Amino acid sequence: MTGLPKGVVLATVVMVTSYLYLQWIPATFDVENLDLIESKVLKFWSENIRWPSKNFTRLAVGINADVDLIVSGVDLLTKLGQVPGKERNHNALRSVSDLQETFTYFFTRGCAAERIFADSQAYRDIVKAAISLDKVEKYIGGNAALMAKITASLFPEVKIQFVGPVGPRLQRLMPKNVEIPSSSLVSDDEYHLIMEYKQGQTWGASTAPVATRFICSYDASNSQMTMLETFFASLPQFQPDIIILSGLHMLDGQNEDFFASRLDVLVSGLQQVDSAVPVHLEFASMATQDFIKAILEKVLPEITSLGLNEQELAFAAEVAGGPYGNQAEHKGQPLIHEMSDIILWLLGKYGKSSKNPTSRLTRVHFHSLTYHIVGAHRSHWSNIMSATMAGTRIAGMQACDVQDPDPDIVDLRIPLEFQLFSGDNKRRFDPETSTYTWTIGDYNFVFSPVLVCKQPVKTVGLGDAISATGLMFSQFIP
């Protein structure tokens, strides 16, 4: 790979914005020259994003996959005869009423979330209603399948093998340059429901503070991780130089004994992976605290890299005694220094260190709507500044679903005065050097803002696109 993918290069050249929230603009900035601020951010990215000296060439991805039905959340609830009601965070959904209450809970907070349906018939009825809507789209679904698709499109030189439950419709949707072993093929597709909403959209008395989505599902294969053994059995023949895993969140609706048994299989498989091959785990929303704590304690020391958003990061801190655990209930933009502090705590508690030398965890990629932070062990990862910038750049492009974005369709939304970490002096955003780096202990950190799509076309898979891109621009040092 000698250069950036064509679409990425074109998008980088033209992605500028002409609008910035005035309440975040320090007096030293000329309000009439806001375009110049975004232009300088993009110029810095273009001039400083570099490929690592050694690229990943063989990527193994697993294990969750489905067909996503993407609909308007408000339209679907209306079709189901629901009216705006109380908000309540149900750990598992058993009725249309549970769906309405949990959707409203996260809609009000503007938080992406995912829940499992416990009643198969209720879920089938909801899917039937979704398919009957005037506006319904069918896409590749599942974090793992999406990361395989995105990597295949952005990095066509990378040889990719995907293992997961691939039904007939999903097989037709998957890119032709993604290798799917016959052991992954199943007779029936799994369907997941993606209930999207836009910033400013209303549901009763609630107004969505950001554009995002609520996901619900009921499926046999993903919810039981039936492809877990198949995935690890495929690795010796494929010989990957990097592995991406996702789908643990689908176990959230299972009982404790079943969850523990599947986690044991996962840990056993991870322990057989050569330490020279980095393993990235992409987190997703879960509700059961004991399950999250078990993943933190048992799985994190066996993986190399972790990707997650603000809700997942804050919930991890809440269940494991980390800082700012109450941020799980935070409304709006997460504070930069708080997220940075939690990442440092996570790496210190579960990552590789003199106190925990057997842990393999050396990298965390945190992504939110408005900014990203990557923390990586300085002895095991390089090129993380380019990786972080590449991740933030793809976020806006993916959300707008355009190759050549118009300057009017994206926003810079970070506060222009902030701290990078607790104890840091308050600083003002400098568009000339829009990406910041710092070191604490064994870890290097990078912060980069996102140019946010004003009217996003696709909110599903943003984290997957971000994590996949950040990984491909990173260099691992065994």
Side-chain angles (χ1 to χ4, degrees):
M1 297 184 210
T2 56
L4 296 176
K6 183 178 179 182
V8 176
V9 173
L10 290 173
T12 300
V13 172
V14 297
M15 191 196 300
V16 293
T17 179
S18 60
Y19 175 81
L20 190 65
Y21 286 164
L22 296 181
Q23 66 266 34
W24 288 336
I25 301 173
T28 54
F29 284 102
D30 184 349
V31 175
E32 295 181 357
N33 290 319
L34 291 180
D35 284 352
L36 185 60
I37 298 175
E38 279 75 18
S39 296
K40 288 181 176 179
V41 172
L42 293 168
K43 182 173 183 290
F44 186 81
W45 286 351
S46 297
E47 292 178 349
N48 289 278
I49 293 178
R50 297 286 184 270
W51 285 104
S53 58
K54 183 179 180 181
N55 303 114
F56 296 114
T57 60
R58 299 180 67 83
L59 168 65
V61 187
I63 61 172
N64 62 324
D66 63 84
V67 176
D68 279 348
L69 300 176
I70 303 178
V71 299
S72 161
V74 170
D75 288 353
L76 177 59
L77 289 175
T78 302
K79 178 77 173 182
L80 292 167
Q82 294 294 296
V83 295
K86 66 180 181 180
E87 55 181 75
R88 181 182 175 188
N89 182 12
H90 294 271
N91 288 352
L93 309 179
R94 291 175 172 81
S95 65
V96 176
S97 177
D98 286 356
L99 175 62
Q100 189 283 139
E101 292 176 356
T102 309
F103 174 85
T104 304
Y105 177 89
F106 289 105
F107 178 95
T108 303
R109 290 156 177 76
C111 293
E114 186 163 352
R115 290 293 180 266
I116 305 296
F117 250 88
D119 187 307
S120 60
Q121 185 57 53
Y123 184 70
R124 283 194 292 269
D125 292 342
I126 292 168
V127 167
K128 185 177 179 180
I131 293 174
S132 71
L133 290 172
D134 292 336
K135 294 182 179 180
V136 56
E137 298 174 277
K138 299 179 180 69
Y139 286 107
I140 293 171
N143 307 80
L146 281 169
M147 293 182 85
K149 171 190 177 293
I150 290 161
T151 309
S153 62
L154 294 177
F155 309 95
E157 300 91 343
V158 178
K159 187 173 180 61
I160 302 171
Q161 176 179 272
F162 177 76
V163 172
V166 179
R169 183 182 292 274
L170 180 57
Q171 188 176 12
R172 294 193 295 270
L173 291 172
M174 288 291 282
K176 300 303 180 186
N177 59 333
V178 174
E179 179 182 317
I180 303 172
S182 58
S183 56
S184 273
L185 301 179
V186 296
S187 58
D188 297 311
D189 287 287
E190 305 282 11
Y191 286 95
H192 288 196
L193 191 58
I194 316 299
M195 301 171 63
E196 294 191 326
Y197 50 89
K198 301 181 184 300
Q199 181 181 8
Q201 190 171 10
T202 59
W203 174 241
S206 301
T207 301
V210 300
T212 185
R213 79 292 182 274
F214 179 78
I215 301 176
C216 59
S217 62
Y218 177 95
D219 64 51
S221 183
N222 291 304
S223 64
Q224 297 180 30
M225 296 185 76
T226 59
M227 289 288 176
L228 192 55
E229 288 88 349
T230 304
F231 177 81
F232 285 111
S234 73
L235 297 181
Q237 182 175 354
F238 184 66
Q239 291 291 302
D241 57 12
I242 184 170
I243 294 170
I244 293 177
L245 280 171
S246 190
L248 275 177
H249 58 288
M250 298 301 299
L251 291 171
D252 209 17
Q254 300 293 340
N255 63 57
E256 186 175 350
D257 289 341
F258 185 85
F259 177 85
S261 68
R262 300 311 285 158
L263 211 60
D264 287 343
V265 172
L266 173 62
V267 170
S268 177
L270 290 171
Q271 289 172 343
Q272 303 308 310
V273 175
D274 192 312
S275 61
V277 179
V279 180
H280 175 86
L281 174 65
E282 189 67 16
F283 242 35
S285 177
M286 296 182 72
T288 307
Q289 293 195 11
D290 289 344
F291 288 3
I292 293 176
K293 191 171 184 180
I295 292 171
L296 296 175
E297 294 175 350
K298 295 182 178 180
V299 179
L300 260 59
E302 305 297 339
I303 62 171
T304 324
S305 174
L306 179 68
L308 72 179
N309 65 23
E310 67 270 29
Q311 184 196 22
E312 295 146 11
L313 182 65
F315 203 15
E318 181 179 353
V319 302
Y324 313 112
N326 60 357
Q327 283 299 109
E329 295 296 318
H330 184 77
K331 296 183 180 181
Q333 185 169 193
L335 296 177
I336 294 167
H337 73 276
E338 292 185 352
M339 297 299 102
S340 171
D341 290 350
I342 300 176
I343 295 169
L344 180 63
W345 162 80
L346 192 70
L347 288 166
K349 186 175 180 66
Y350 300 105
K352 186 177 183 66
S353 66
S354 57
K355 295 181 180 179
N356 195 11
T358 60
S359 174
R360 294 175 60 175
L361 179 64
T362 51
R363 178 182 182 271
V364 172
H365 187 162
F366 163 78
H367 42 80
S368 71
L369 178 70
T370 55
Y371 66 87
H372 300 169
I373 300 174
V374 173
H377 199 292
R378 55 187 178 180
S379 298
H380 292 282
W381 293 92
S382 63
N383 210 48
I384 65 167
M385 181 175 173
S386 288
T388 309
M389 291 188 290
T392 53
R393 184 176 57 184
I394 200 66
M397 293 163 51
Q398 182 84 2
C400 288
D401 194 25
V402 290
Q403 298 250 328
D404 302 307
D406 184 277
D408 293 331
I409 65 175
V410 290
D411 269 344
L412 182 71
R413 296 187 187 175
I414 62 166
L416 296 184
E417 289 188 345
F418 53 84
Q419 291 176 285
L420 291 172
F421 53 90
S422 289
D424 181 36
N425 294 325
K426 181 164 280 192
R427 58 186 76 207
R428 287 184 173 180
F429 178 72
D430 181 1
E432 297 279 1
T433 55
S434 58
T435 302
Y436 296 82
T437 64
W438 68 101
T439 300
I440 300 179
D442 291 329
Y443 291 95
N444 294 325
F445 291 83
V446 181
F447 165 89
S448 184
V450 173
L451 294 181
V452 182
C453 186
K454 288 182 183 179
Q455 298 293 331
V457 178
K458 290 183 179 178
T459 63
V460 176
L462 287 185
D464 306 310
I466 290 161
S467 290
T469 302
L471 281 169
M472 290 300 108
F473 275 88
S474 300
Q475 182 166 338
F476 178 63
I477 307 165

